Amino acid sequence: MATVDLNDVRKVYAGGVEAVKGVSIAIPDKQLCVLVGPSGCGKSTLLRMIAGLETISSGTIAIDGKIVNAIGPTERDIAMVFQNYALYPHMKVYDNMAYGLRNRGTPKAEIDSRVRSTAKVLELSGLLDRRPRELSGGQRQRVAMGRAIVRNPKVFLFDEPLSNLDAKLRGQMRVEIKSLQRRLGVTSVYVTHDQLEAMTLADMLVVMNAGLVEQTGAPLDIYEKPASTFVASFIGAPPMNLLSLSTGSSATELERKLLGLAPPGGRAATLGFRPEDAELVADAEDRSGALMLPATVEAVEPVGAESFLHCSAAGNRIVIRVGGRTTAKPGDKLRITATAEKLHWFDQGGRRLDSASPSF
Amino acid sequence: MIGQSPLRILIAHAALILGILIVAFPIYYTFVASTQTLQTILKPPLPLLPGDQFWNNYSEALFGGVGRIGGVSVGRLLLNTTVMALGVAVGKIFISILSAYAIVFFRFPLRMTFFWLIFITLMLPVEVRILPTYKVMVDLGMIDTYAGLIVPLIASATATLLFRQFFMTIPGELVEAARVDGAGPWRFFFDILLPLSRTNIAALFVILFIYGWTQYLWPLLVTNSNDMNTIVIALKKMVSFADADTQWHLVMVTAMLAIVPPILVVVLMQRWFVRGLVESEK
């Protein structure tokens, strides 16, 4: 139905604070794009600029190829789902959903059929005469979605829509949003600070930090090849283990050994590996070409299907995941290994070093 | 915690009943007096039970008053006062909800200046600015008109501030949702803001109606003709009627009639806004 193209978009507030510092994203038709990042990274501001609720300081935003910088939210043909639902408290569910259509002068009969069919899709048919306060959180969320869907807009915008729901309901709604978006095939932009939500929902994931895009790509690509230490520590739970390496004469033997594994063509400053990519080796064997790291267990977190061991190793705190149950207990000395292809290397500025790609 | 022992309940009820007696007795006594003949009232002590002159007194006050206070019937006085009280209440609400709307939801130059100007007028009650206001009314030829009674009392910093405070509690998301839904400023005002404000409007209406009903100084100044008197002014004139004995029994009847409309407004609107309060509870 529509593409969304952001070209060097900036937002400078009146006080001189630069919330968004030049973001370019091209969202293909029918894709669900998730903007993820810590609070204050500019993701919500960016979404609100796409909605037309914030002015654009410089750069352009185009919906369906048409630049919308100067157009108000009504004419952009977008629908937005808000964090606190923003349902009209004095209107019945039916009127909440019909309101946008009425303002656009849609004929009564069409409004009625669209509201009722949308309500059916969202299983709200029995609730059309209720008021928002008579609904549970999940139902309100559904009405907010219904209000967006019924308009049949070019783009859906979601502003942390699940953050007010409890964990169980959140998981359930996440699946629903995803399947609904697939079915309707409407281009969507979804803002969240929850990396799990971001990973599971996104066709296209945009990781933002401090007003800039850190990395754009498919969720698993980003997971497997984080472009920076920020992305590496933000995506994935528990986050990637990052060991800082010092170079030069003062480096310890361990660190020099680790550096020997680094890809050529860059001065590696940080080594990372995912908790699930580490293995425990009981014996003193040395695997060549692999990371070998002595570690001391400090805490054990059994989750059931897996356990997380919090360890200290070479002056860093790391977490490793072991399947099933573990007999390890605090104080145990372990040896951790990870094969070379599972290691991630980052330079002084936190950028990824890849043997495949030239260093920068 | 408040206990539920019979003694405590007894004490609580006794205190409440005493309070009610203190408040209600003067009104009851006025009612008693309004059902006696003038002779009975003038010869103390006044009985504690209603007399037998109810129909006589009330029909005389309502229908036989011509010639009594400058040829104006109680009905006319009640009409004048109702027009004034309604005008003041509706006008105040209308003006203040619009100004609060402008101040809260629009960004325009000198917005805060206007807000402070409105705020400062709180320090200038009618009594302080009464002479210039009177002069303006005279120049505009608004003496002895309903407009003259109503317009100068309409501007209300208090109501504007109350609406402003309420509007500030409306979440920004709701405003934005309405914008995305294609509601312009007027639609937002009528479809969203006004319905959400109805409990505030109801509460303010009650307060402002009674404020308008009990105005004394301004109606006294701005009306010369007896035709345009409000009931409060008329009562005063009846008591100090220069060339005849005060018709106390009729004064009492008029006083009783004067408190009926405010009571009606309170009783009817109270039910309305209590329901509203319960409804808007989250």
Side-chain angles (χ1 to χ4, degrees):
Chain A
M1 281 202 238
T3 58
V4 177
D5 294 287
L6 282 68
N7 187 15
D8 198 26
V9 172
R10 280 166 204 276
K11 176 73 192 180
V12 184
Y13 281 109
V17 178
E18 199 172 11
V20 178
K21 303 171 182 169
V23 168
S24 300
I25 307 171
I27 305 168
D29 190 19
K30 294 181 186 169
Q31 296 273 293
L32 177 58
C33 169
V34 176
L35 306 178
V36 68
S39 56
C41 72
K43 57 190 192 297
S44 281
T45 310
L46 199 60
L47 187 80
R48 290 162 52 80
M49 281 197 275
I50 300 173
L53 297 170
E54 297 270 4
T55 56
I56 301 161
S57 302
S58 76
T60 57
I61 291 177
I63 295 175
D64 210 7
K66 195 175 121 208
I67 289 175
V68 294
N69 283 33
I71 309 181
T74 310
E75 289 80 34
R76 289 191 188 189
D77 204 7
I78 46 109
M80 190 154 170
V81 178
F82 293 88
Q83 182 173 359
N84 297 310
Y85 321 132
L87 300 178
Y88 310 121
H90 59 293
M91 292 188 193
K92 291 175 177 167
V93 169
Y94 183 97
D95 298 308
N96 260 289
M97 288 165 71
Y99 188 60
L101 292 171
R102 281 187 194 140
N103 285 341
R104 282 172 172 75
T106 316
K108 246 194 169 120
E110 196 192 330
I111 293 179
D112 193 63
S113 74
R114 272 161 80 170
V115 169
R116 288 187 192 285
S117 66
T118 308
K120 214 170 185 177
V121 171
L122 291 167
E123 292 162 31
L124 288 170
S125 298
L127 305 174
L128 285 174
D129 283 332
R130 300 262 189 100
R131 280 172 212 278
R133 71 173 166 280
E134 297 161 342
L135 303 177
S136 68
Q139 288 167 335
R140 285 182 206 186
Q141 180 60 56
R142 262 175 234 270
V143 177
M145 301 261 303
R147 195 169 61 176
I149 293 168
V150 78
R151 291 234 326 271
N152 198 13
K154 280 184 187 155
V155 182
F156 284 147
L157 304 174
F158 297 90
D159 188 3
E160 311 213 11
L162 304 183
S163 53
N164 282 349
L165 301 178
D166 61 59
K168 193 177 160 203
L169 204 53
R170 204 180 305 157
Q172 198 179 320
M173 286 303 289
R174 204 164 63 206
V175 175
E176 264 179 54
I177 289 180
K178 176 109 172 167
S179 69
L180 205 60
Q181 194 270 338
R182 280 278 142 75
R183 194 142 35 105
L184 299 169
V186 176
T187 314
S188 304
V189 186
Y190 188 109
V191 161
T192 180
H193 61 264
D194 180 343
Q195 61 88 26
L196 178 67
E197 218 169 282
M199 289 294 291
T200 49
L201 275 174
D203 295 316
M204 173 186 177
L205 185 59
V206 177
V207 185
M208 290 186 68
N209 184 29
L212 287 167
V213 171
E214 287 273 335
Q215 193 174 6
T216 306
L220 286 177
D221 289 349
I222 291 181
Y223 186 81
E224 276 158 16
K225 290 198 169 192
S228 64
T229 47
F230 173 80
V231 178
S233 58
F234 194 80
I235 299 294
M240 183 184 282
N241 297 306
L242 296 171
L243 308 176
S244 63
L245 308 167
S246 41
T247 52
S249 57
S250 66
T252 64
E253 197 192 336
L254 171 70
E255 283 165 341
R256 249 179 270 140
K257 210 165 144 192
L258 293 175
L259 279 169
L261 294 168
R267 282 157 63 86
T270 308
L271 160 68
F273 61 94
R274 294 272 176 206
E276 69 272 23
D277 290 336
E279 270 180 78
L280 296 180
V281 275
D283 50 46
E285 78 173 286
D286 240 5
R287 297 189 191 175
S288 61
L291 167 73
M292 298 297 298
L293 199 62
T296 310
V297 178
E298 294 200 331
V300 182
E301 283 184 331
V303 188
E306 56 195 5
S307 304
F308 295 103
L309 305 181
H310 294 251
C311 311
S312 67
N316 294 278
R317 297 205 53 139
I318 61 171
V319 181
I320 60 171
R321 176 198 168 276
V322 290
R325 296 182 188 185
T326 175
T327 52
K329 52 190 185 302
D332 284 3
K333 303 259 189 249
L334 304 170
R335 281 166 70 80
I336 295 164
T337 183
T339 54
E341 64 266 28
K342 296 290 191 189
L343 301 180
H344 306 259
W345 300 90
F346 303 94
D347 68 10
Q348 211 79 48
R351 295 273 125 200
R352 182 182 187 81
L353 287 172
D354 248 320
S355 35
S357 65
S359 62
F360 33 91
Chain B
M1 297 270 51
I2 295 162
Q4 289 295 315
S5 72
L7 184 68
R8 279 168 185 271
I9 293 173
L10 199 72
I11 292 170
H13 277 78
L16 286 173
I17 289 166
L18 188 68
I20 290 169
L21 281 180
I22 291 171
V23 172
F25 183 73
I27 297 170
Y28 171 76
Y29 215 43
T30 309
F31 174 72
V32 169
S34 76
T35 58
Q36 306 289 353
T37 61
L38 180 59
Q39 286 70 32
T40 324
I41 297 173
L42 291 175
K43 189 182 69 198
L46 187 66
L48 277 170
L49 289 173
D52 54 359
Q53 299 297 305
F54 181 84
W55 292 113
N56 278 348
N57 289 353
Y58 277 77
S59 60
E60 195 188 338
L62 277 170
F63 309 112
V66 182
R68 189 159 42 78
I69 6 169
V72 185
S73 66
V74 174
R76 172 78 197 195
L77 293 171
L78 285 174
L79 174 74
N80 288 348
T81 322
T82 308
V83 169
M84 179 185 174
L86 276 179
V88 169
V90 172
K92 266 181 191 276
I93 288 171
F94 181 76
I95 296 268
S96 46
I97 202 167
L98 282 180
S99 37
Y101 180 49
I103 282 170
V104 175
F105 291 103
F106 292 86
R107 301 282 166 272
F108 52 89
L110 298 180
R111 189 172 67 100
M112 284 319 278
T113 314
F114 283 113
F115 171 69
W116 282 107
L117 279 176
I118 294 172
F119 189 69
I120 283 169
T121 62
L122 269 180
M123 296 170 209
L124 295 173
V126 174
E127 290 74 12
V128 174
R129 53 187 162 87
I130 204 149
L131 278 176
T133 314
Y134 184 72
K135 169 83 170 115
V136 170
M137 288 298 117
V138 171
D139 291 350
L140 290 174
M142 284 163 87
I143 301 297
D144 276 338
T145 61
Y146 286 131
L149 276 170
I150 295 165
V151 173
L153 298 179
I154 275 183
S156 171
T158 322
T160 307
L161 286 175
L162 282 173
F163 278 121
R164 174 181 177 268
Q165 291 313 108
F166 171 65
F167 289 170
M168 307 263 276
T169 66
I170 288 179
E173 280 193 350
L174 201 63
V175 184
E176 289 172 352
R179 279 178 72 192
V180 171
D181 261 347
W186 280 116
R187 271 185 186 276
F188 175 69
F189 183 72
F190 284 111
D191 292 349
I192 313 238
L193 216 47
L194 221 46
L196 289 179
S197 312
R198 33 171 215 210
T199 51
N200 290 270
I201 292 175
L204 263 178
F205 181 82
V206 172
I207 295 164
L208 295 176
F209 183 86
I210 290 167
Y211 166 85
W213 189 268
T214 55
Q215 279 300 303
Y216 178 71
L217 185 57
W218 182 250
L220 186 67
L221 277 177
V222 87
T223 58
N224 297 326
S225 135
N226 288 332
D227 266 348
M228 291 303 294
N229 276 343
T230 62
I231 199 146
V232 181
I233 307 294
L235 267 174
K236 175 73 179 65
K237 284 188 179 172
M238 282 170 80
V239 172
S240 55
F241 210 37
D243 47 353
D245 289 336
T246 301
Q247 304 280 307
W248 281 112
H249 58 306
L250 297 181
V251 171
M252 294 303 161
V253 171
T254 314
M256 285 312 291
L257 291 173
I259 61 174
V260 169
I263 288 176
L264 277 180
V265 166
V266 170
V267 168
L268 294 175
M269 296 300 278
Q270 189 189 36
R271 285 180 59 197
W272 210 83
F273 82 70
V274 166
R275 199 189 65 191
L277 287 179
V278 173
E279 261 189 4
S280 67
E281 207 176 335
K282 288 246 165 78

